[in-house]
Amino acid sequence: MTKVRVRFAPSPTGPLHMGGVRTALFNFLFAKKNGGDFILRIEDTDQTRYVPGAEDYIKESLDWLSMIPVESPWNGGDYGPYRQSERKHLYREYADQLIESGHAYYAFDTPDELEAMRDRLTKAKVPSPQYNASVRMTMKNSLTLSADEVRTRLDSGEPYTIRLKVPRNEEVRFNDMIRGWVQVNTNAMDDKVLFKSDGMPTYHLANIVDDHLMKITHVIRGEEWLPSAPTHILLYQYLGWEDSRPQFAHLPLILRPDGNGKLSKRDGDRLGFPVFPLEWKDPKTGEISSGYREKGYFPEAFINTLAFLGWNPGTDKELYTMSELIEDFSIERVGKSGSKFDVDKTKWYNQQYLRDKTTEQSGPALLEALTQEGLNIEQDKLPAYIDLMKERATFVEDMVEGRYLLEAPVSYDQKTINKKWKADSEGIVLSLIDLFETTDFEAETLHAAFMNHLEKNEIGMGAAMPILRVLITGQGFGPNMFEIMEFLGKENSINRLRKGIERLKNG
Ligand code: GLU
């Protein structure tokens, strides 16, 4: 059996959008699942759209998500180079081959002439004006000019393009792994430019030549490339590569949270979530776009989110590590219809992975992250600390809010004080101190003793609990109070209560 080889083929025209990362992920999973190769190719034939830094961004994103290609511009491979601009010399012979076999032709039309053609067709109410079988014989190309004239023009260095000669009224069919049979009549296609006047191939030609030369077996890419697929099918046919043609799988669109249209950068800005894996600074405008990494998302959470945008395991299982995804992933379970992006779900994943960080394996990484945030915590206290904070935390940053578990408060939540510190508060706290002096500092025991004390002395919950919390933690809200007290210990908790009374009495 032929070895599975798939490629992720981004163009370095800006930061990688989430959709692009999802394409990379599905390629990666498919390769791993089938014992194949995941390859990265940079498609930079359109030099006018090249953005400096975009390629590094792609590499850094894949590194962050641990999707490391086995062959790429950065680590080479047997089928390199892996940047199309460095493969420039390879493409021309295939364009020439197509001209010789009559499947392509030279076109000398100037931009003005093309524009005039479009105007003419628009005036004649042609639905979508394009350079095709009905139009090409009215244009300036090697099908309408004499052989001599063509030669003279080519020799004089006049700019020209090479176009695919799409036949009239033929059916182009292919079996998409996700969509099933796709059929298009060639009358709906145009004579795509294969080779540009700047000496570079277009995406269509370069993509097909490279997939062939790199022995790609499956092309897994976004739905936006579906309209290009018939052109690609014709190219495989005309270049005589039909037998080794890769199989196609066009992934569904990622939709806006409300399901109305494709998710764009603007939606992210408007709704307050990133659409990029990493932060990106536009080299021209200096504008900064936020990234999942910088917002505090774990790569695991981002991967989990992306996996479920289009794929589902057909079970209730929602949490998937990369190795579990590799195990369970299949293209057959990728749907055709667009998938709505839900940032709350992404947050939920993050919360789940954060909770998981207490494990021996990931504990040290979290400890380091917390230390970086300026939290001074000892290793042996970490599991209890995380246990307390995790219910309310989505990001590592939220964990830092538990600073009061390590340092006594220096101020008290003013709202709680204004509302709850009354004339009898001091007495209540003093009676609680007496109670705690003789209670075992274990959460449930404390809880029971506290409830019993309130009942016996007819003290309302609302008169005692908020005051207890604010004096011990400085906060109006937080995790279970008795668990906090157990964490702090008797001496610490009581000291904080005494200190609090003193401070409040002295204003
Ligand atoms: N260079 C194309 C892109 O930017 C690749 C499309 C394909 O995978 O064929 O997405």
Side-chain angles (χ1 to χ4, degrees):
M1 235 179 70
T2 11
K3 186 171 197 191
V4 164
R5 286 175 57 83
V6 293
R7 82 312 190 262
F8 176 46
S11 298
T13 53
L16 205 53
H17 182 276
M18 273 170 60
V21 188
R22 198 259 325 244
T23 299
L25 175 65
F26 284 21
N27 274 284
F28 180 82
L29 294 175
F30 186 79
K32 295 283 163 193
K33 169 94 194 184
N34 294 292
D37 295 333
F38 171 61
I39 294 145
L40 187 120
R41 181 172 74 226
I42 294 287
E43 301 211 322
D44 56 352
T45 53
D46 190 349
Q47 292 175 331
T48 58
R49 294 183 61 216
Y50 181 82
V51 173
E55 189 182 309
D56 288 341
Y57 183 96
I58 293 165
K59 179 172 190 309
E60 213 180 320
S61 303
L62 297 182
D63 282 349
W64 180 55
L65 299 165
S66 306
M67 298 194 283
I68 312 295
V70 284
E71 295 164 32
S72 73
W74 319 300
N75 62 352
D78 291 345
Y79 300 86
Y82 293 88
R83 248 178 232 111
Q84 287 184 327
S85 55
E86 292 166 15
R87 301 170 64 80
K88 220 169 141 179
H89 58 284
L90 286 168
Y91 306 111
R92 182 63 204 234
E93 72 171 281
Y94 300 100
D96 289 343
Q97 188 186 322
L98 289 167
I99 291 187
E100 265 156 49
S101 61
H103 293 299
Y105 57 92
Y106 298 107
F108 301 97
D109 316 280
T110 64
D112 285 348
E113 285 163 344
L114 290 170
E115 176 91 40
M117 175 267 285
R118 270 181 232 115
D119 283 352
R120 184 160 43 86
L121 295 179
T122 310
K123 277 200 195 104
K125 301 226 172 349
V126 173
S128 43
Q130 49 190 7
Y131 207 120
N132 59 17
S134 0
V135 169
R136 66 170 84 102
M137 297 316 281
T138 66
M139 302 299 287
K140 223 185 278 164
N141 53 48
S142 54
L143 305 172
T144 56
L145 302 171
S146 72
D148 280 351
E149 167 123 37
V150 170
R151 200 61 280 147
T152 318
R153 283 177 184 256
L154 291 176
D155 291 345
S156 74
E158 186 182 325
Y160 64 89
T161 60
I162 297 176
R163 284 183 183 268
L164 179 66
K165 191 176 162 202
V166 177
R168 195 188 285 272
N169 200 21
E170 273 181 25
E171 297 301 327
V172 181
R173 267 161 66 83
F174 69 97
N175 200 352
D176 187 281
M177 292 168 81
I178 295 171
R179 283 147 216 279
W181 283 102
V182 175
Q183 181 164 329
V184 176
N185 186 286
T186 51
N187 287 351
M189 297 167 62
D190 62 338
D191 289 358
K192 286 260 169 352
V193 173
L194 302 176
F195 215 83
K196 295 178 287 182
S197 50
D198 65 0
M200 281 288 239
T202 57
Y203 154 74
H204 302 289
L205 181 67
N207 187 271
I208 267 44
V209 167
D210 286 346
D211 282 349
H212 175 73
L213 296 179
M214 294 181 177
K215 296 203 163 52
I216 298 303
T217 56
H218 299 79
V219 167
I220 304 169
R221 61 184 175 191
E223 182 175 314
E224 63 273 28
W225 299 103
L226 190 57
S228 299
T231 302
H232 299 173
I233 299 288
L234 287 183
L235 280 170
Y236 278 105
Q237 194 182 320
Y238 297 157
L239 287 165
W241 298 336
E242 256 187 320
D243 293 344
S244 59
R245 190 185 84 200
Q247 270 185 274
F248 288 100
H250 289 93
L251 305 174
L253 292 178
I254 301 180
L255 303 178
R256 289 166 31 167
D258 63 8
N260 283 330
K262 194 173 151 178
L263 180 72
S264 73
K265 174 167 154 18
R266 237 170 308 131
D267 300 314
D269 292 344
R270 187 170 55 85
L271 300 164
F273 57 78
V275 295
F276 301 120
L278 318 178
E279 194 171 273
W280 166 258
K281 185 170 175 201
D282 189 301
K284 268 209 200 108
T285 62
E287 187 201 349
I288 301 210
S289 303
S290 62
Y292 281 88
R293 183 180 64 183
E294 289 73 13
K295 286 269 181 202
Y297 287 88
F298 295 115
E300 297 93 317
F302 191 54
I303 293 276
N304 214 144
T305 298
L306 294 179
F308 277 79
L309 290 172
W311 173 82
N312 75 77
T315 64
D316 290 343
K317 185 170 157 70
E318 288 190 289
L319 286 172
Y320 268 92
T321 61
M322 189 68 108
S323 47
E324 290 169 324
L325 282 171
I326 292 169
E327 183 84 3
D328 282 8
F329 183 80
S330 76
I331 286 280
E332 288 71 36
R333 293 216 59 89
V334 176
K336 279 199 271 267
S337 44
S339 196
K340 278 189 235 169
F341 174 68
D342 176 0
V343 73
D344 292 331
K345 195 74 207 202
T346 315
K347 286 188 182 153
W348 181 81
Y349 284 126
N350 214 63
Q351 191 173 37
Q352 304 308 308
Y353 285 104
L354 182 61
R355 288 178 187 189
D356 201 42
K357 297 282 174 198
T358 34
T359 61
E360 247 167 72
Q361 255 179 334
S362 41
L366 180 59
L367 186 66
E368 197 189 305
L370 289 173
T371 316
Q372 261 176 23
E373 297 273 354
L375 204 70
N376 197 357
I377 182 163
E378 292 143 35
Q379 171 89 45
D380 57 339
K381 283 213 158 172
L382 186 68
Y385 180 92
I386 293 173
D387 253 2
L388 264 172
M389 295 307 297
K390 68 185 183 187
E391 287 306 320
R392 305 168 63 87
T394 302
F395 300 104
V396 170
E397 198 181 271
D398 304 330
M399 287 265 175
V400 180
E401 279 172 21
R403 195 179 285 280
Y404 54 78
L405 293 171
L406 308 169
E407 301 154 14
V410 285
S411 64
Y412 303 100
D413 177 60
Q414 204 50 50
K415 243 189 173 159
T416 311
I417 298 295
N418 290 348
K419 232 167 107 187
K420 297 289 178 182
W421 187 256
K422 306 248 164 77
D424 61 350
S425 296
E426 186 186 343
I428 295 177
V429 176
L430 286 173
S431 76
L432 284 172
I433 291 177
D434 283 345
L435 172 77
F436 295 149
E437 294 277 14
T438 57
T439 310
D440 201 8
F441 259 58
E442 187 273 322
E444 275 177 32
T445 317
L446 281 165
H447 186 196
F450 176 80
M451 295 310 283
N452 191 25
H453 181 79
L454 295 197
E455 203 185 314
K456 235 171 53 198
N457 299 289
E458 291 179 10
I459 305 170
M461 183 67 131
M465 189 55 124
I467 287 296
L468 181 66
R469 180 181 296 282
V470 80
L471 292 193
I472 290 184
T473 69
Q475 313 287 313
F477 301 95
N480 181 299
M481 202 46 226
F482 304 105
E483 284 174 15
I484 293 180
M485 287 168 68
E486 176 178 338
F487 180 89
L488 293 173
K490 187 179 285 193
E491 198 187 323
N492 226 336
S493 304
I494 292 179
N495 280 347
R496 289 187 183 193
L497 289 173
R498 287 198 204 286
K499 184 107 200 155
I501 296 181
E502 218 175 283
R503 282 204 184 121
L504 290 174
K505 264 178 30 185
N506 302 332

